[in-house]
């Protein structure tokens, strides 16, 4: 019997491969997963407990409960300086589902979507599932030590089938935060070529240098779709709440897609996410301060030997150079077996990242320092 070609064509996740291999090993330091090591804030847990006890265990509307849609709309109206109403908001089971639903809403089979390279591998998977063709566009390493959009290369990726471009700032895996000028230039490029802009802003609160600016702030013709969620900012990865913020016509399509794809997000988790968005934000500031300190530990440990590919100014990732003579996935697996450090293989993020590994500094400082020490020792031994 024949199996589905789209599912068969999906590339395996290099991150998941490392996670599965490390599961049965002892003494492994985990730097491969982009997951906060903090507990979900107490007031969020209390809200979820009260919701469950109060009977919030039923189906919800496809677009989400009114409370969280109101909270998201209020937040983005404030951040974007625009009139964002609940009709703009669709709540999804995590930002992963938000990305996939947006791709299905905007792309037809045979369309092309530009995705960042290096970039989160799920963009490729979502495009392939939609029957579209993912086209990588390169991120260039700047002289200042960060990654930026290569606007000289971008036009060369455009064809008559190009329909949308994905932007991710702060970036996974580079940690880059794009400037307001870059966002304006990207939006002008999209307008010139009549493209949708899918802006993945799930790390929007995790910025250490500069400020996060959404391209939606400069959107005058309804082409920007913002994807975000509560997983990273509030240490709520397992609660699975993301959201799409888009002009109502697009939001209505995404809402329509929730029924065949997921029906709705968890009711209890939606109440918890509303509590996170409306409640005290001290917890976010404390986590950001901790991540900034850990980022500085990474910079101090890796900069002297020129191992750091670029300065992470947001998110909680860094790309680290590996020996040129070895393929990225092979190196990551070797590092796991020999040094018991789990990292994400560079190639899973695209061709530009083939000579790197991605580390996450969303882990406690003591383990991060130990892991960095093992990485440096292994690299020194590898090169001799």
């Amino acid at each position: 019997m024949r199996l589905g070609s789209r599912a068969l064509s999906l590339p395996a996740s290099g991150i998941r491969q490392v996670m599965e291999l490390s599961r049965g090993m002892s003494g492994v330091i985990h730097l491969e997963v982009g997951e906060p090591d903090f507990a979900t804030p107490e007031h969020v847990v209390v809200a979820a407990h009260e919701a469950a006890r109060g009977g919030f265990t039923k189906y919800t509307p496809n677009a989400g409960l009114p409370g969280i849609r109101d909270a998201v709309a209020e937040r983005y109206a404030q951040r974007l300086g625009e009139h964002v109403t609940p009709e703009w908001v669709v709540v999804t089971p995590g930002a992963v589902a938000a990305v996939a639903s947006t791709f299905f809403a905007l792309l037809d089979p045979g369309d092309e979507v530009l995705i960042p390279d290096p970039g989160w591998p799920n963009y490729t998977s979502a495009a392939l599932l939609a029957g579209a063709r993912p086209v990588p566009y390169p991120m260039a390493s700047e002289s200042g030590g960060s990654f930026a959009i290569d606007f000289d290369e971008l036009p060369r990726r455009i064809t008559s089938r190009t329909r949308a471009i994905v932007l991710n700032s702060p970036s996974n895996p580079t940690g880059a935060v794009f400037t307001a000028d870059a966002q304006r230039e990207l939006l002008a490029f999209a307008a010139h070529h009549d493209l949708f802009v899918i802006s993945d802003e799930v790390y929007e609160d995790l910025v250490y240098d500069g400020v996060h600016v959404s391209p939606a702030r400069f959107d005058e013709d309804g082409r920007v779709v913002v994807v975000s969620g509560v997983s990273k900012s509030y240490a709520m990865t397992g609660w699975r709440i993301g959201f799409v913020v888009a002009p109502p016509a697009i939001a209505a399509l995404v809402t329509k897609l929730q029924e065949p794809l997921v029906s709705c997000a968890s009711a209890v988790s939606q109440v918890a996410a509303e509590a996170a968005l409306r409640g005290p934000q001290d917890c976010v500031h404390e986590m950001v301060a901790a991540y900034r300190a850990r980022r500085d530990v990474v910079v101090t440990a890796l900069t002297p030997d020129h191992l750091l590919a670029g300065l992470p100014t947001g998110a909680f990732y860094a790309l680290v150079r590996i020996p040129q003579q070895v393929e990225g996935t092979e190196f990551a697996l070797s590092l796991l077996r020999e040094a018991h450090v789990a990292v994400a293989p560079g190639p899973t993020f695209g061709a530009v990242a083939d000579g790197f590994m991605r580390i996450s500094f969303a882990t406690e400082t003591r383990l991060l320092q130990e892991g960095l020490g093992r990485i440096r020792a292994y690299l020194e031994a590898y090169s001799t």
Side-chain angles (χ1 to χ4, degrees):
M1 294 183 289
R2 182 173 60 83
L3 300 177
S5 59
R6 290 186 187 178
L8 289 170
S9 71
L10 295 184
S13 169
I15 305 170
R16 289 287 179 180
Q17 182 183 9
V18 170
M19 288 173 64
E20 290 302 319
L21 287 174
S22 66
R23 199 176 298 276
M25 300 173 62
S26 61
V28 173
I29 294 179
H30 292 276
L31 304 181
E32 82 277 27
V33 183
E35 182 167 49
D37 66 319
F38 296 97
T40 300
E42 180 65 17
H43 68 279
V44 176
V45 176
V46 169
H49 174 74
E50 292 176 351
R53 298 276 296 184
F56 273 86
T57 56
K58 310 295 184 182
Y59 289 127
T60 78
N62 293 135
L65 291 168
I68 186 173
R69 294 180 73 197
D70 286 343
V72 173
E74 290 170 13
R75 169 168 291 212
Y76 282 90
Q78 181 180 32
R79 292 187 174 188
L80 301 179
E82 297 181 359
H83 183 62
V84 178
T85 66
E87 288 71 31
W88 290 57
V89 178
V90 186
V91 183
T92 62
V96 177
V99 169
S101 296
T102 300
F103 277 29
F104 277 104
L106 301 182
L107 303 174
D108 284 327
D111 284 345
E112 296 178 353
V113 55
L114 302 179
I115 61 173
D117 181 7
W120 186 45
N122 289 44
Y123 302 138
T124 294
S125 298
L128 293 173
L129 281 177
R133 177 172 175 256
V135 178
Y137 67 90
M139 309 298 295
S141 183
E142 293 183 310
S143 58
S146 188
F147 283 82
I149 301 168
D150 189 339
F151 284 103
D152 292 331
E153 283 292 327
L154 205 51
R156 299 186 176 96
R157 302 313 197 266
I158 295 291
T159 73
S160 61
R161 300 295 299 178
T162 310
R163 180 75 169 161
I165 181 168
V166 175
L167 182 69
N168 179 212
S169 175
S171 165
N172 173 15
T174 70
V177 178
F178 304 141
T179 66
D181 287 344
Q183 302 280 23
R184 287 192 187 93
E185 187 172 357
L186 189 280
L187 202 58
F189 174 86
H192 178 73
H193 294 283
D194 194 24
L195 308 178
F196 288 107
V197 176
I198 303 168
S199 182
D200 182 351
E201 304 180 18
V202 75
Y203 298 98
E204 60 191 323
D205 294 316
L206 309 184
V207 177
Y208 318 119
D209 303 297
V211 294
H212 166 71
V213 179
S214 172
R217 179 176 286 273
F218 313 114
D219 186 19
E220 297 181 352
D221 47 8
R223 68 179 65 251
V224 177
V225 178
V226 173
V227 170
S228 192
V230 297
S231 291
K232 312 300 183 180
S233 299
Y234 299 96
M236 293 179 67
T237 52
W239 297 81
R240 308 312 304 137
I241 294 293
F243 36 79
V244 172
V245 180
I250 298 175
L253 273 182
V254 174
T255 299
K256 186 179 180 181
L257 287 163
Q258 297 311 287
E259 182 61 32
L261 291 176
V262 296
S263 181
C264 60
S266 158
V268 169
S269 293
Q270 289 184 59
V271 174
E274 181 185 350
L277 294 171
R278 293 192 182 280
Q281 301 300 299
D282 293 352
C283 54
V284 179
H285 303 321
E286 290 168 4
M287 285 187 275
V288 170
Y291 293 142
R292 180 185 289 109
R294 295 172 187 177
R295 187 279 306 266
D296 293 343
V297 167
V298 171
V299 172
T300 299
L302 301 180
T303 298
D305 294 327
H306 306 288
L307 296 174
L308 200 61
L311 177 68
T313 54
F316 36 55
Y317 306 109
L319 285 180
V320 181
R321 291 185 175 87
I322 65 173
Q324 293 182 353
Q325 68 271 26
V326 62
E327 190 270 337
T329 301
E330 176 187 336
F331 182 85
L333 297 178
S334 175
L335 179 68
L336 175 62
R337 290 191 300 265
E338 303 297 328
H340 285 202
V341 179
V343 300
T348 200
F349 302 98
V352 172
D354 187 29
F356 303 92
M357 56 182 161
R358 188 202 72 179
I359 63 171
S360 166
F361 47 87
T363 188
E364 64 174 284
T365 303
R366 178 184 61 83
L367 292 175
L368 177 63
Q369 290 173 324
E370 172 65 22
L372 292 170
R374 293 186 191 182
I375 288 172
R376 290 190 59 176
Y378 186 74
L379 286 170
E380 290 174 4
Y382 199 97
S383 60
T384 58

